[in-house]
Amino acid sequence: MGLNKKSVDDINAKGKRVLVRCDFNVPLKNGEITDETRIVAAMPTIQKLIGDGGKVILCSHLGKVKNGPNEGESLAPVAKRLSEKLGKEVVFVADYNVTGEAATKAVEAMKEGDVVLLQNTRFRGKEETKNGEEFSKELADLADLYVCDAFGSSHRAHASVEGVTRCITAKGGENAVGYLMQKEINFLGNAVENPVRPFVAILGGAKVADKLNVISNLLEKCDTLIIGGGMAYTFLKAQGYEIGRSLVDNEKIDYCKEMLAKAEKLGKKLLLPVDSVTVAAFPNPIDAPIETEVYGVENMPADREGCDIGPKTAEMYAEAVKTAKTVVWNGPMGVFENPTLAAGTIAVAKALAETDATTIIGGGDSAAAVNQLGFGDKMSHISTGGGASLEFLEGKVLPGVAAADDK
């Protein structure tokens, strides 16, 4: 699936004010950035626009911002890091209003190649609501062109993601996507719509409910669907197995039965765990040392809780990956935050690292897992958007993608 959207290569930024929506939602500890992956990912687009002589105005959200603006979620640390990476000053507009007089003045003072970073868009408070029209217009008033490079936010029809594009269009400007956005859609799009086969999809994580439509959509597209993580136990219960105290979504048992029947009807392989690493009680804290016992699915005790796929399952899943030409993975195989319960996730990550297939990691916990385990550089693509990549795998249209101009 080609993107067929205008990209930064299709617009002329010279002398123009270019508003770029980035994903600078980075983790902070005591005001310091602990993981700059998202900043690094935004650099090619920013550097391209600077090189083309654009006046580059950056915006992003950071954190959840539940109780109004606070310095703990200010983008000031991002401005500092960007200045270091770009080797030039990034002017930070600290105004909590985001698009107020301070922003207007900073933009008016810009020369070609200058960079301004606006304050956290969520500080405005209307970013996620229907009242974003005024904010959308004010953002568009600052710019001539708009570039969306925030794949991680592209599934939300927010003022700075989708609303602003309508205002840019109304004033005769263009809306394009950045290099990161282009890469995300090309990898995920090709994997789902036009995969080199065999195509293996791996889904993990805690709840079936989070991935209802993804399971159904991927069953139609892939050759083999592998299920791990907490969600596997609802499938096992649907097959009539004892799952002890393992995580279960009783309301989704019939759905799991439907998916098992769908796989059979379509002639697809749906692989479920054959054994589990079990604990007497969930670790508290989550990374605490813990005693485990392995049981086959046919003899799980009623007083144990499954917290990872067992060694036989890990071997079976790794074997399925070996023959694949395309692999998409979203969600860990167990409680990977605990070293004792991370073996299943490590086995799958290792299998992906050793294959020649195109390997795509669908953001969120699976991205964190492969990076923490040191396999990040062995993957073809690690998505920067957990929720966005899930919705994409569901087959949904993402507002931030749809809003860009067609070529």
Side-chain angles (χ1 to χ4, degrees):
M1 167 186 152
L3 189 57
N4 203 35
K5 292 286 182 184
K6 278 186 184 171
S7 82
V8 282
D9 291 326
D10 301 312
I11 57 174
N12 177 13
K14 184 161 177 65
K16 303 265 181 69
R17 301 168 302 161
V18 190
L19 180 69
V20 187
R21 176 52 158 98
C22 298
D23 183 3
F24 292 145
N25 187 20
V26 294
L28 292 173
K29 193 171 182 182
N30 303 324
E32 294 293 320
I33 297 164
T34 56
D35 180 353
E36 58 178 43
T37 307
R38 286 177 166 155
I39 294 175
V40 173
M43 294 302 284
T45 296
I46 297 169
Q47 283 164 327
K48 159 77 175 161
L49 293 168
I50 291 171
D52 286 354
K55 299 172 181 179
V56 185
I57 307 151
L58 307 173
C59 69
S60 172
H61 78 283
L62 194 160
K64 297 265 190 277
V65 191
K66 287 200 165 63
N67 305 312
N70 68 79
E71 275 306 300
E73 287 165 313
S74 166
L75 282 171
V78 174
K80 181 172 171 257
R81 196 73 196 94
L82 276 170
S83 298
E84 291 163 7
K85 285 201 161 302
L86 291 168
K88 66 187 312 172
E89 187 197 357
V90 171
V91 175
F92 179 55
V93 179
D95 181 4
Y96 286 180
N97 190 50
V98 188
T99 52
E101 192 185 343
T104 307
K105 282 186 172 167
V107 170
E108 277 172 0
M110 290 178 87
K111 297 182 176 64
E112 290 185 8
D114 282 356
V115 184
V116 162
L117 173 64
L118 303 179
Q119 183 55 282
N120 188 340
T121 55
R122 298 261 171 100
F123 282 7
R124 183 58 180 259
K126 294 182 178 177
E127 172 78 336
E128 298 175 76
T129 68
K130 291 270 192 284
N131 308 323
E133 284 86 352
E134 187 188 348
F135 187 29
S136 299
K137 186 180 180 308
E138 286 173 23
L139 283 166
D141 285 346
L142 293 173
D144 307 301
L145 306 168
Y146 173 79
V147 173
C148 186
D149 209 21
F151 181 72
S153 298
S154 64
H155 59 312
R156 304 189 190 283
H158 286 177
S160 65
V161 174
E162 191 244 10
V164 62
T165 61
R166 293 193 295 271
C167 302
I168 290 283
T169 301
K171 61 193 270 188
E174 296 175 281
N175 300 291
V177 295
Y179 290 135
L180 174 64
M181 196 86 154
Q182 210 175 12
K183 188 180 173 202
E184 292 275 11
I185 306 299
N186 286 344
F187 265 103
L188 286 162
N190 283 326
V192 177
E193 299 303 330
N194 191 23
V196 181
R197 297 188 182 275
F199 171 27
V200 175
I202 307 169
L203 292 177
K207 298 187 194 115
V208 175
D210 295 345
K211 299 195 167 88
L212 288 178
N213 299 330
V214 183
I215 295 166
S216 186
N217 192 42
L218 284 178
L219 265 181
E220 290 168 19
K221 316 273 188 188
C222 70
D223 301 297
T224 301
L225 179 61
I226 293 173
I227 305 272
M231 61 193 280
Y233 296 101
T234 305
F235 275 91
L236 291 171
K237 189 166 181 181
Q239 289 184 319
Y241 289 112
E242 168 66 62
I243 59 164
R245 293 179 179 167
S246 307
L247 198 64
V248 66
D249 189 343
N250 285 311
E251 289 176 14
K252 297 291 178 279
I253 286 173
D254 286 343
Y255 174 83
C256 290
K257 286 178 182 171
E258 279 172 38
M259 290 304 110
L260 290 161
K262 182 174 181 171
E264 197 169 339
K265 187 182 169 201
L266 294 172
K268 305 296 175 80
K269 276 188 198 164
L270 197 161
L271 301 182
L272 290 166
V274 293
D275 59 348
S276 274
V277 177
T278 70
V279 298
F282 196 82
N284 183 18
I286 201 163
D287 56 354
I290 194 149
E291 301 262 324
T292 62
E293 290 172 12
V294 176
Y295 288 96
V297 289
E298 67 291 336
N299 62 1
M300 163 92 83
D303 62 348
R304 305 283 297 179
E305 179 178 354
C307 281
D308 191 16
I309 56 171
K312 283 183 184 162
T313 305
E315 202 175 309
M316 175 174 81
Y317 289 2
E319 208 52 44
V321 165
K322 274 181 194 166
T323 57
K325 289 280 183 279
T326 306
V327 187
V328 171
W329 178 20
N330 190 297
M333 297 293 100
V335 186
F336 81 98
E337 299 92 340
N338 187 301
T340 314
L341 302 170
T345 303
I346 292 170
V348 168
K350 195 165 178 293
L352 264 67
E354 288 169 359
T355 179
D356 294 332
T358 298
T359 49
I360 298 152
I361 312 302
D365 284 342
S366 18
V370 291
N371 283 325
Q372 280 173 29
L373 301 168
F375 293 113
D377 60 344
K378 302 279 198 302
M379 305 301 161
S380 309
H381 179 64
I382 298 178
S383 178
T384 55
S389 54
L390 263 185
E391 290 198 14
F392 201 86
L393 294 175
E394 275 179 43
K396 283 188 180 175
V397 174
L398 305 183
V401 179
D405 299 342
D406 292 327
K407 276 190 185 179

